[in-house]
Amino acid sequence: MVVQRVFFAPKEEDNDCWQRENIFHSTCTIEGKICHFVIDGGSCENVISVDVVNKLRLSTKEHSNPHKLSWLKRGTEVSVSKQCLVQFSIGSTYHDKSWCDLVPMDACHILLGRPWQFDLDVSHNGRKNTYSFVFDDKRIVLLPKKDMSFNRMPALLTMQQFEEEMKELDVVYILMGMNSGSDFDAPDAVQPLLDEFRDVFPTDLPEGLPLLSDIQHQIDLVPGSSLPNRPNYHMRPKEHEELQRQVMELLAKGFIRESLSPCDVPALLTPKKDGSWRVCVDNRAINKITIKYRFPIPRLDDLLDQLHGDTVFSKLDLRSGYHQIRINLGDELKTAFKIRERLYE
């Protein structure tokens, strides 16, 4: 899908007037998580929120010099008894670590104060509200993010602004949120198209093997090699029942058949994310004696060039797609796992 326009609040004219009453806010990365940080030259310490330390499970230690931090008014002191060495990164070029005091705060996740500015010899541009310094022989300039506050969602268009945007556009795309478990009801205008191509999107795979293609997939083994005969994996009774159910289902649909091959490779079950089970065949032993043919991999840019001008795309459902590639009839006996022995042993 190509989004023609994102309906967020229109950008105001480029000027620095909004910086006059704006504290430096931006985002950084701590332990792979996006965190909000503030640069405040009026703070005598670097501080980090206790909630961030607990959620990210950062290691702490007792403060060598316990003290109290006061905010603007006496009597509102915050006791500081622990500190933490915080490793953070801003962008892709600035990765640093600083000792921070643990304090309960919700204004931001981490606050960089005078110690951080002093150690890096930071220069502050008051009008542009930018902080610049040299780190690893590179000039770093940190830019603030506009209209950013903790726990605030981006401003959406008002009805008047939306109507003005509608007048400028011929096509409008709307993003609709839906519950993942609810059924999708297509609009009436799209329903005839879905009915026409209903066979392209079946709820279940059709029974039987696909049609024979001009070129049959063939497996060649190293001459003189002996076929493997691997023992079965140990399975719990419930896993054995699930494997038997899936095998019988594949047999009924004609995707597999009973094997009379002297080659025996074990099958096992692996769990899926949705709680169901997937049948996997351990072909590592026979792969070792299979001749590995080399084919050139297509260039990605050439494949993208071939898509020029195309407007309709589809996808393949490979939930259980091993049977969708037909192989040579003689090679089927080489790779099939012994179903009868596994079902009735």
Side-chain angles (χ1 to χ4, degrees), residues 283-310:
N283 286 319
R284 291 178 295 180
I286 197 171
N287 287 340
K288 292 181 180 180
I289 61 174
T290 301
I291 298 177
K292 299 177 177 59
Y293 295 103
R294 300 292 187 265
F295 300 93
I297 300 177
R299 292 178 57 90
L300 180 60
D301 50 357
D302 290 342
L303 295 178
L304 295 177
D305 292 341
Q306 296 175 12
L307 297 178
H308 176 71
D310 295 336

Side-chain angles (χ1 to χ4, degrees), residues 172-192:
V172 176
Y173 295 97
I174 299 178
L175 180 64
M176 300 177 60
M178 299 178 58
N179 295 329
S180 58
S182 60
D183 296 332
F184 173 72
D185 295 331
D188 296 337
V190 184
Q191 195 62 46

Side-chain angles (χ1 to χ4, degrees), residues 107-281:
C108 61
H109 293 134
I110 183 173
L111 187 147
L112 301 177
R114 282 291 303 152
W116 173 80
Q117 299 180 41
F118 180 87
D119 295 340
L120 294 176
D121 191 16
V122 177
S123 299
H124 180 224
N125 187 314
R127 176 168 290 275
K128 294 184 178 180
N129 198 16
T130 60
Y131 288 84
S132 58
F133 53 91
V134 177
F135 184 80
D136 286 345
D137 298 330
K138 295 181 180 180
R139 187 70 176 177
I140 306 295
V141 179
L142 302 182
L143 305 177
K145 291 194 174 181
K146 187 176 182 180
D147 193 24
M148 177 181 176
S149 63
F150 198 57
N151 295 331
R152 180 188 295 181
M153 296 295 293
L156 299 178
L157 290 177
T158 63
M159 180 58 68
Q160 180 180 359
Q161 293 170 340
F162 177 76
E163 292 177 351
E164 293 177 355
E165 295 290 339
M166 286 283 294
K167 295 178 182 179
E168 300 178 4
L169 301 174
D170 296 331
V171 180
V172 176
Y173 295 97
I174 299 178
L175 180 64
M176 300 177 60
M178 299 178 58
N179 295 329
S180 58
S182 60
D183 296 332
F184 173 72
D185 295 331
D188 296 337
V190 184
Q191 195 62 46
L193 183 64
L194 297 179
D195 295 337
E196 180 181 357
F197 297 97
R198 189 173 298 277
D199 58 329
V200 182
F201 307 100
T203 56
D204 196 6
L205 297 176
E207 297 184 0
L209 295 175
L211 299 177
L212 291 173
S213 58
D214 296 337
I215 300 177
Q216 300 299 316
H217 183 61
Q218 184 173 346
I219 300 176
D220 296 327
L221 302 181
V222 176
S225 58
S226 58
L227 295 177
N229 188 6
R230 303 295 299 274
N232 298 329
Y233 288 109
H234 173 72
M235 291 186 297
R236 295 188 293 269
K238 292 185 177 180
E239 295 179 356
H240 191 277
E241 294 177 1
E242 175 63 20
L243 178 61
Q244 183 177 3
R245 185 193 66 80
Q246 294 197 28
V247 167
M248 297 302 296
E249 181 180 350
L250 294 175
L251 279 172
K253 292 184 176 181
F255 294 159
I256 62 175
R257 62 182 180 179
E258 295 185 1
S259 173
L260 301 178
S261 170
C263 173
D264 188 10
V265 291
L268 67 156
L269 294 175
T270 57
K272 298 182 182 179
K273 293 182 179 180
D274 58 0
S276 59
W277 294 90
R278 182 193 305 275
V279 176
C280 294
V281 182

Side-chain angles (χ1 to χ4, degrees), residues 23 38-50 67-80 101-114:
I23 299 177
V38 170
I39 299 178
D40 184 7
S43 175
C44 59
E45 299 291 346
N46 301 328
V47 296
I48 187 172
S49 172
V50 176
H67 57 280
K68 293 184 178 181
L69 293 177
S70 59
W71 305 92
L72 299 179
K73 182 180 179 182
R74 293 185 179 274
T76 58
E77 293 88 358
V78 177
S79 299
V80 177
D101 295 343
L102 271 67
V103 297
M105 65 174 179
D106 54 10
C108 61
H109 293 134
I110 183 173
L111 187 147
L112 301 177
R114 282 291 303 152

Side-chain angles (χ1 to χ4, degrees), residues 58-102:
L58 304 179
S59 58
T60 62
K61 73 171 188 177
E62 297 296 328
H63 205 291
S64 58
N65 184 24
H67 57 280
K68 293 184 178 181
L69 293 177
S70 59
W71 305 92
L72 299 179
K73 182 180 179 182
R74 293 185 179 274
T76 58
E77 293 88 358
V78 177
S79 299
V80 177
S81 59
K82 293 184 178 181
Q83 59 181 176
C84 174
L85 183 60
V86 181
Q87 296 186 0
F88 62 93
S89 61
I90 303 175
S92 59
T93 57
Y94 177 46
H95 306 270
D96 203 355
K97 55 184 177 181
S98 297
W99 284 101
C100 298
D101 295 343
L102 271 67

